[in-house]
Amino acid sequence: MNAAQTAMGLEARPRVAGHFRLQWEEVQKAWVLLYPEGMVKLNGSAGEIMQRLDGEKTVQALIDELESSFDTSGLTQDVLDFLAIAQRQGWVKP
Amino acid sequence: MNAASATTGIASAPATQPGPPLWLLAELTYRCPLHCVFCYNPVDFAQTSTELSTADWLRVLREARAAGSVQCGFSGGEPMLRDDLEELVAEAHRLGFYTNLLTSGVGLTEARATALKQAGLDHIQLSFQDSTRELNDFLSHTKTFDLKRRASDIIKSHGWPMVLNCVIHRLNIDYIGQIIELAVELGAEYLELANSQYYSWAEINRDGLLPSREQLERAEALTNDYREKLGVKIRIFFVVPDYYETRPKKCMNGWGNVFLTITPDGMALPCHTAKMLKGITFPNVREMSVQDIWHTAPGFNHFRGDSWMKEPCRSCPEKEKDLGGCRCQALMLTGDAANADPVCDKSPFHHRVQEAVAYAQVPNAQRANVKPLVFRDPKVSCQLAEAGSVTFL
């Protein structure tokens, strides 16, 4: 991708992109992204990140929330790496 | 934390414990205003008994959703011919399905589009270049073009993502550039250039539809040029016909693994052409719940796993990769559904695919005794079924 492909910074307020729908699937015990005739099954970490994207919260606030929820630290790089992938796949918009 | 490996894709499940039927294809009706020569509906579709009622379909949707189905495709025939389409879409939406409508656009009026939007329909796949009878209309941008233009305008104005699907074959493959330009002009997000695969009506018409290698290579190169030129504006999928491959595809992502098709009269199938496998008894949703069908019906367990395989598949190092290919293609071209898909060049029947491919290289003008194309039509369907013509080899 081109213009949209600038890396997402800590001040970005990402959201799930337009034609994707994020939902919890009880049978699969996983968060999934649905789009025309397709599905992405997210792993646990990706699901934790994606379900918190609301277009309001900054990436920094998201990281703080995750670190607090899971009583851990040092998630910044993992979150940024995932968001870069998710943006490249078109799942999220900054 | 390992968020980078976010996708698991759709993995194959062990034979004993299939994953959920993620894809539910609801074939609401075999009725259709079109007469496509490549239609995958069964050749004997006109002998199908009564269509499922609204109440039946509502129950199927609830049962399938509880079993883990998440994508629901409303298809046909032409699904717009069912008056209860809006009601079914609304229930599917309420249940949490991602709802897809697969339509020719015939009957998609502004009023129905509004009702479908209110019902929660997520996406519309619009097919175009529906039949070779309309080829001239299409190429001259007349009737078909106007219809598709109206339908796509309606789709876009309601904010749906639009997938345009065009079945590609010998008679239209040389116009692939015009087809791509039309898709761009109509504002499609995705374009599927799906080469016809040779089942049902397309199988009858195979000699008239299979493109030459030269046609195919030119079309693929042109598609790649357009992809480069158009960038992310439109995503173009180009599906090569199996006959030009030397390894089969993993049909339906594995038999009874992901896909569940319900036919208009309620038969549950692991793929939309599996009804042709006459030796296998497939269950009906009128008599069995979706959950039981998926997990216990013998028809669904028949080709799960690999214990059914014969040589050369049984000892093949690639057997997990393609699971022996397509059972229907094996039946049609070898007479036994448990044989390797003869698209595979390890199959002792591969020469039957090669013969069809060799004939495809003969220009139409040099062909003798050319069979006319057979158009999908209820009357022809009855004649073919009664004549017992639906046999293979």
Side-chain angles (χ1 to χ4, degrees):
Chain A
M1 301 237 297
N2 35 34
Q5 204 42 56
T6 47
M8 217 181 287
L10 293 171
E11 296 313 308
R13 298 171 195 272
R15 60 181 166 78
V16 178
H19 292 311
F20 286 91
R21 195 166 86 210
L22 179 73
Q23 71 185 36
W24 172 256
E25 279 300 296
E26 187 55 35
V27 174
Q28 299 178 61
K29 299 270 185 274
W31 287 89
V32 300
L33 272 176
L34 301 172
Y35 56 96
E37 298 170 45
M39 183 191 86
V40 179
K41 183 175 172 180
L42 299 170
N43 71 15
S45 311
E48 292 298 338
I49 296 172
M50 290 292 286
Q51 64 170 297
R52 287 174 168 81
L53 305 182
D54 56 10
E56 305 277 325
K57 197 180 295 158
T58 63
V59 174
Q60 184 60 60
L62 165 71
I63 293 165
D64 293 344
E65 191 182 314
L66 286 166
E67 291 183 344
S68 152
S69 297
F70 294 94
D71 196 20
T72 186
S73 62
L75 295 182
T76 303
Q77 199 53 51
D78 284 330
V79 172
L80 289 175
D81 288 350
F82 170 73
L83 288 175
I85 291 169
Q87 189 182 1
R88 195 161 58 239
Q89 296 289 337
W91 304 337
V92 302
K93 295 266 181 230
Chain B
M1 188 134 167
N2 181 23
S5 59
T7 60
T8 61
I10 292 175
S12 55
T16 45
Q17 216 183 7
L22 296 173
W23 236 115
L24 173 70
L25 185 68
E27 292 184 331
L28 298 182
T29 180
Y30 283 142
R31 289 173 288 139
C32 189
L34 304 177
H35 304 279
C36 303
V37 291
F38 47 75
C39 183
Y40 74 77
N41 283 167
V43 172
D44 59 358
F45 76 88
Q47 294 196 325
T48 302
S49 56
T50 331
E51 289 180 4
L52 290 181
S53 66
T54 307
D56 286 332
W57 277 117
L58 293 172
R59 180 175 52 80
V60 167
L61 290 171
R62 285 192 283 269
E63 290 175 355
R65 183 71 186 122
S69 295
V70 62
Q71 285 283 350
C72 178
F74 292 101
S75 177
E78 173 49 65
M80 301 289 298
L81 290 175
R82 287 277 300 214
D83 295 338
D84 56 359
L85 178 63
E86 289 81 351
E87 189 180 350
L88 301 179
V89 168
E91 179 65 2
H93 176 73
R94 191 189 67 76
L95 291 165
F97 276 106
Y98 192 93
T99 51
N100 306 274
L101 174 65
L102 287 67
T103 177
S104 67
V106 177
L108 184 66
T109 59
E110 181 58 38
R112 286 203 87 180
T114 303
L116 286 166
K117 191 74 190 178
Q118 278 167 1
L121 182 66
D122 289 301
H123 153 243
I124 296 181
Q125 184 199 98
L126 179 67
S127 64
F128 71 108
Q129 188 35 51
D130 304 284
S131 83
T132 50
R133 199 177 274 170
E134 291 177 325
L135 185 67
N136 289 327
D137 286 346
F138 167 70
L139 294 173
S140 59
H141 281 202
T142 55
K143 268 193 300 203
T144 312
F145 180 79
D146 291 340
L147 169 73
K148 301 304 172 185
R149 156 71 74 195
R150 266 199 312 279
S152 62
D153 282 352
I154 288 172
I155 293 169
K156 299 295 287 182
S157 72
H158 284 270
W160 278 303
M162 184 165 67
V163 175
L164 282 186
N165 177 288
C166 186
V167 175
I168 302 295
H169 47 74
R170 189 178 184 90
L171 303 172
N172 67 4
I173 193 166
D174 294 330
Y175 304 101
I176 211 154
Q178 285 96 314
I179 292 168
I180 294 171
E181 282 177 15
L182 176 59
V184 172
E185 198 182 328
L186 297 179
E189 274 85 8
Y190 304 87
L191 172 63
E192 292 175 358
L193 300 168
N195 267 280
S196 179
Q197 305 287 1
Y198 297 97
Y199 304 94
S200 306
W201 297 85
E203 201 262 341
I204 295 177
N205 292 312
R206 187 182 68 188
D207 287 346
L209 295 178
L210 188 63
S212 71
R213 191 175 296 279
E214 194 194 335
Q215 282 185 302
L216 194 61
E217 283 170 359
R218 200 167 48 224
E220 209 166 357
L222 195 59
T223 303
N224 285 333
D225 290 347
Y226 272 101
R227 279 189 184 128
E228 205 159 304
K229 200 170 83 183
L230 297 167
V232 294
K233 196 158 120 188
I234 177 168
R235 287 189 67 187
I236 307 176
F237 302 93
F238 187 90
V239 184
V240 175
D242 283 6
Y243 277 53
Y244 280 94
E245 308 276 15
T246 50
R247 286 289 180 274
K249 65 179 187 299
K250 189 177 183 178
C251 204
M252 308 314 287
N253 242 295
W255 174 279
N257 193 36
V258 172
F259 289 91
L260 172 64
T261 295
I262 309 295
T263 65
D265 55 341
M267 189 185 276
L269 300 171
C271 97
H272 43 271
T273 58
K275 194 181 169 186
M276 73 169 74
L277 306 171
K278 298 292 183 198
I280 303 177
T281 308
F282 291 107
N284 194 296
V285 294
R286 287 179 163 128
E287 288 142 22
M288 213 172 172
S289 76
V290 169
Q291 183 81 17
D292 286 347
I293 285 170
W294 189 251
H295 289 282
T296 67
F300 275 77
N301 284 323
H302 203 97
F303 289 121
R304 278 189 175 131
D306 58 15
S307 59
W308 55 270
M309 283 180 184
K310 299 180 175 184
E311 292 297 349
C313 295
R314 183 178 282 277
S315 61
C316 180
E318 295 172 69
K319 68 176 175 185
E320 292 306 319
K321 211 164 116 189
D322 54 42
L323 296 173
C326 170
R327 299 304 87 227
C328 297
Q329 202 142 261
L331 174 71
M332 287 187 294
L333 296 171
T334 78
D336 181 351
N339 276 334
D341 184 337
V343 159
C344 184
D345 64 11
K346 294 182 183 180
S347 159
F349 296 94
H350 183 60
H351 63 94
R352 292 187 177 162
V353 172
Q354 287 177 306
E355 282 157 19
V357 167
Y359 189 66
Q361 313 316 310
V362 180
N364 286 12
Q366 291 172 27
R367 291 179 168 187
N369 305 321
V370 177
K371 286 185 292 182
L373 289 171
V374 179
F375 290 88
R376 178 205 199 270
D377 176 89
K379 210 182 282 174
V380 180
S381 169
C382 288
Q383 286 165 357
L384 287 172
E386 277 161 26
S389 308
V390 197
T391 52
F392 304 96
L393 296 175

